[in-house]
Structure formats: C-alpha cells, structure tokens
Short mmCIF file of all heavy atoms in Angstrom, two decimals:
data_model
loop_
_atom_site.label_atom_id
_atom_site.label_comp_id
_atom_site.label_asym_id
_atom_site.label_seq_id
_atom_site.Cartn_x
_atom_site.Cartn_y
_atom_site.Cartn_z
N VAL O 1 94.47 38.86 97.90
CA VAL O 1 95.60 39.17 97.23
C VAL O 1 96.56 39.99 97.96
O VAL O 1 97.79 39.81 98.13
CB VAL O 1 95.35 39.79 95.75
CG1 VAL O 1 96.61 40.43 95.12
CG2 VAL O 1 94.75 38.81 94.93
N PHE O 2 96.04 41.16 98.48
CA PHE O 2 96.81 42.04 99.40
C PHE O 2 97.34 41.32 100.62
O PHE O 2 98.48 41.65 101.13
CB PHE O 2 96.08 43.28 99.79
CG PHE O 2 95.98 44.24 98.54
CD1 PHE O 2 94.64 44.72 98.14
CD2 PHE O 2 97.12 44.70 97.90
CE1 PHE O 2 94.52 45.58 97.14
CE2 PHE O 2 96.91 45.54 96.74
CZ PHE O 2 95.64 46.02 96.39
N ALA O 3 96.53 40.42 101.17
CA ALA O 3 96.98 39.77 102.40
C ALA O 3 98.20 38.84 102.18
O ALA O 3 98.99 38.56 103.11
CB ALA O 3 95.86 38.96 103.00
N ILE O 4 98.43 38.39 100.92
CA ILE O 4 99.59 37.58 100.52
C ILE O 4 100.59 38.47 100.04
O ILE O 4 101.73 38.21 100.48
CB ILE O 4 99.18 36.61 99.54
CG1 ILE O 4 98.05 35.58 100.03
CG2 ILE O 4 100.32 35.73 98.98
CD1 ILE O 4 98.52 34.76 101.26
N VAL O 5 100.40 39.48 99.29
CA VAL O 5 101.44 40.14 98.54
C VAL O 5 102.25 41.13 99.59
O VAL O 5 103.46 41.09 99.56
CB VAL O 5 100.86 41.07 97.32
CG1 VAL O 5 101.86 42.00 96.95
CG2 VAL O 5 100.36 40.17 96.32
N ILE O 6 101.57 41.81 100.44
CA ILE O 6 102.17 42.71 101.33
C ILE O 6 103.21 42.06 102.31
O ILE O 6 104.29 42.50 102.32
CB ILE O 6 101.11 43.67 102.03
CG1 ILE O 6 100.58 44.52 100.98
CG2 ILE O 6 101.76 44.43 103.13
CD1 ILE O 6 99.38 45.34 101.47
N PRO O 7 102.78 41.01 102.97
CA PRO O 7 103.77 40.39 103.81
C PRO O 7 105.01 39.82 103.09
O PRO O 7 106.12 39.99 103.57
CB PRO O 7 103.03 39.18 104.51
CG PRO O 7 101.63 39.61 104.42
CD PRO O 7 101.47 40.42 103.22
N PHE O 8 104.78 39.16 101.97
CA PHE O 8 105.86 38.63 101.23
C PHE O 8 106.79 39.68 100.61
O PHE O 8 107.96 39.53 100.61
CB PHE O 8 105.41 37.65 100.17
CG PHE O 8 105.07 36.32 100.83
CD1 PHE O 8 103.75 35.93 101.00
CD2 PHE O 8 106.03 35.37 101.07
CE1 PHE O 8 103.49 34.68 101.59
CE2 PHE O 8 105.77 34.18 101.67
CZ PHE O 8 104.47 33.81 101.93
N LEU O 9 106.14 40.87 100.24
CA LEU O 9 106.88 41.96 99.71
C LEU O 9 107.83 42.52 100.85
O LEU O 9 108.98 42.83 100.67
CB LEU O 9 106.02 43.01 99.21
CG LEU O 9 106.60 44.12 98.37
CD1 LEU O 9 107.36 43.60 97.11
CD2 LEU O 9 105.56 45.05 98.05
N TYR O 10 107.28 42.58 102.04
CA TYR O 10 108.00 43.03 103.15
C TYR O 10 109.18 42.07 103.51
O TYR O 10 110.30 42.54 103.78
CB TYR O 10 107.08 43.24 104.42
CG TYR O 10 107.79 43.67 105.65
CD1 TYR O 10 108.26 45.05 105.80
CD2 TYR O 10 108.14 42.82 106.74
CE1 TYR O 10 108.93 45.46 106.96
CE2 TYR O 10 108.78 43.18 107.84
CZ TYR O 10 109.23 44.53 107.91
OH TYR O 10 109.87 44.94 109.09
N VAL O 11 108.98 40.91 103.58
CA VAL O 11 110.11 39.83 103.88
C VAL O 11 111.05 39.95 102.74
O VAL O 11 112.26 39.84 103.06
CB VAL O 11 109.40 38.42 103.96
CG1 VAL O 11 110.51 37.42 103.95
CG2 VAL O 11 108.51 38.32 105.16
N GLY O 12 110.61 40.08 101.48
CA GLY O 12 111.65 40.26 100.38
C GLY O 12 112.55 41.43 100.66
O GLY O 12 113.76 41.41 100.36
N THR O 13 111.97 42.60 100.91
CA THR O 13 112.73 43.69 101.18
C THR O 13 113.70 43.58 102.33
O THR O 13 114.85 44.06 102.30
CB THR O 13 111.86 44.99 101.34
OG1 THR O 13 111.02 44.78 102.49
CG2 THR O 13 111.15 45.31 100.18
N GLN O 14 113.29 42.98 103.38
CA GLN O 14 114.22 42.72 104.56
C GLN O 14 115.39 41.76 104.16
O GLN O 14 116.49 42.01 104.53
CB GLN O 14 113.40 42.09 105.65
CG GLN O 14 112.40 43.01 106.27
CD GLN O 14 113.05 44.35 106.74
OE1 GLN O 14 114.01 44.39 107.40
NE2 GLN O 14 112.32 45.43 106.48
N ILE O 15 115.06 40.79 103.41
CA ILE O 15 116.16 39.87 102.91
C ILE O 15 117.13 40.59 102.03
O ILE O 15 118.37 40.45 102.15
CB ILE O 15 115.56 38.63 102.22
CG1 ILE O 15 114.80 37.77 103.17
CG2 ILE O 15 116.59 37.88 101.40
CD1 ILE O 15 113.96 36.67 102.65
N SER O 16 116.60 41.44 101.15
CA SER O 16 117.51 42.14 100.17
C SER O 16 118.34 43.25 100.96
O SER O 16 119.49 43.42 100.61
CB SER O 16 116.78 42.76 99.04
OG SER O 16 115.85 43.79 99.57
N LYS O 17 117.73 43.83 102.00
CA LYS O 17 118.52 44.88 102.66
C LYS O 17 119.65 44.14 103.52
O LYS O 17 120.69 44.62 103.53
CB LYS O 17 117.57 45.46 103.72
CG LYS O 17 116.73 46.76 103.18
CD LYS O 17 115.82 47.32 103.97
CE LYS O 17 116.29 47.63 105.44
NZ LYS O 17 115.30 48.26 106.30
N SER O 18 119.35 42.98 104.14
CA SER O 18 120.35 42.21 104.92
C SER O 18 121.42 41.78 103.91
O SER O 18 122.67 41.76 104.23
CB SER O 18 119.78 41.19 105.71
OG SER O 18 119.22 40.20 104.89
N PHE O 19 121.12 41.30 102.70
CA PHE O 19 122.16 40.84 101.76
C PHE O 19 123.00 42.02 101.23
O PHE O 19 124.22 41.82 101.06
CB PHE O 19 121.39 40.09 100.73
CG PHE O 19 122.32 39.34 99.74
CD1 PHE O 19 123.05 38.18 100.22
CD2 PHE O 19 122.63 39.72 98.47
CE1 PHE O 19 123.88 37.54 99.43
CE2 PHE O 19 123.56 39.06 97.55
CZ PHE O 19 124.16 37.98 98.14
N ALA O 20 122.32 43.12 101.06
CA ALA O 20 123.12 44.25 100.59
C ALA O 20 124.10 44.72 101.63
O ALA O 20 125.23 45.13 101.34
CB ALA O 20 122.13 45.41 100.20
N ALA O 21 123.66 44.66 102.92
CA ALA O 21 124.60 44.98 104.10
C ALA O 21 125.77 43.96 104.15
O ALA O 21 126.90 44.40 104.41
CB ALA O 21 123.74 45.04 105.33
N LEU O 22 125.51 42.74 103.83
CA LEU O 22 126.48 41.67 103.89
C LEU O 22 127.45 41.98 102.80
O LEU O 22 128.67 41.85 102.96
CB LEU O 22 125.90 40.31 103.70
CG LEU O 22 126.77 39.12 103.65
CD1 LEU O 22 127.28 38.81 105.16
CD2 LEU O 22 126.10 37.92 103.02
N LEU O 23 126.95 42.35 101.60
CA LEU O 23 127.86 42.65 100.44
C LEU O 23 128.79 43.78 100.77
O LEU O 23 129.95 43.82 100.49
CB LEU O 23 127.14 42.80 99.18
CG LEU O 23 126.48 41.58 98.65
CD1 LEU O 23 125.69 41.95 97.33
CD2 LEU O 23 127.43 40.48 98.22
N GLU O 24 128.25 44.83 101.39
CA GLU O 24 129.00 46.02 101.70
C GLU O 24 129.92 45.73 102.81
O GLU O 24 131.01 46.31 102.79
CB GLU O 24 128.04 47.17 102.08
CG GLU O 24 128.62 48.49 102.21
CD GLU O 24 127.73 49.55 102.38
OE1 GLU O 24 126.48 49.38 102.33
OE2 GLU O 24 128.17 50.72 102.69
N GLU O 25 129.59 44.91 103.62
CA GLU O 25 130.50 44.54 104.84
C GLU O 25 131.71 43.79 104.38
O GLU O 25 132.80 44.07 104.85
CB GLU O 25 129.82 43.68 105.91
CG GLU O 25 130.56 43.27 107.03
CD GLU O 25 129.74 42.37 107.94
OE1 GLU O 25 128.56 42.45 108.03
OE2 GLU O 25 130.47 41.46 108.67
N HIS O 26 131.61 43.03 103.47
CA HIS O 26 132.72 42.24 102.88
C HIS O 26 133.46 42.82 101.68
O HIS O 26 134.23 42.25 100.90
CB HIS O 26 132.28 40.78 102.48
CG HIS O 26 131.81 39.97 103.74
ND1 HIS O 26 132.76 39.36 104.49
CD2 HIS O 26 130.66 39.52 104.17
CE1 HIS O 26 132.14 38.77 105.44
NE2 HIS O 26 130.83 38.77 105.21
N ASP O 27 133.09 44.18 101.40
CA ASP O 27 133.64 44.93 100.30
C ASP O 27 133.46 44.28 98.98
O ASP O 27 134.30 44.45 98.06
CB ASP O 27 135.01 45.25 100.65
CG ASP O 27 135.32 46.31 101.75
OD1 ASP O 27 134.36 47.05 101.97
OD2 ASP O 27 136.34 46.13 102.39
N ILE O 28 132.42 43.58 98.75
CA ILE O 28 132.11 42.92 97.44
C ILE O 28 131.42 44.00 96.62
O ILE O 28 131.77 44.18 95.35
CB ILE O 28 131.19 41.70 97.61
CG1 ILE O 28 132.00 40.67 98.36
CG2 ILE O 28 130.79 41.15 96.31
CD1 ILE O 28 131.16 39.41 98.77
#
C-alpha cells in the first residue's frame, strides 16, 4: 500500500504545484 500511495501522492503534489504556478503566472 505504501509503495503505491507515496509515489502517486508525490506525483499529485508536483502536478498541483505546477498548476498553481501556471494559474498565478496568468493572473487567474
């Protein structure tokens, strides 16, 4: 369970960080 949850949780945080930066860059 941990071998699946931790990598996908990390990938999800990276995607959300990049999307938040994109929204802030375009002043949305």
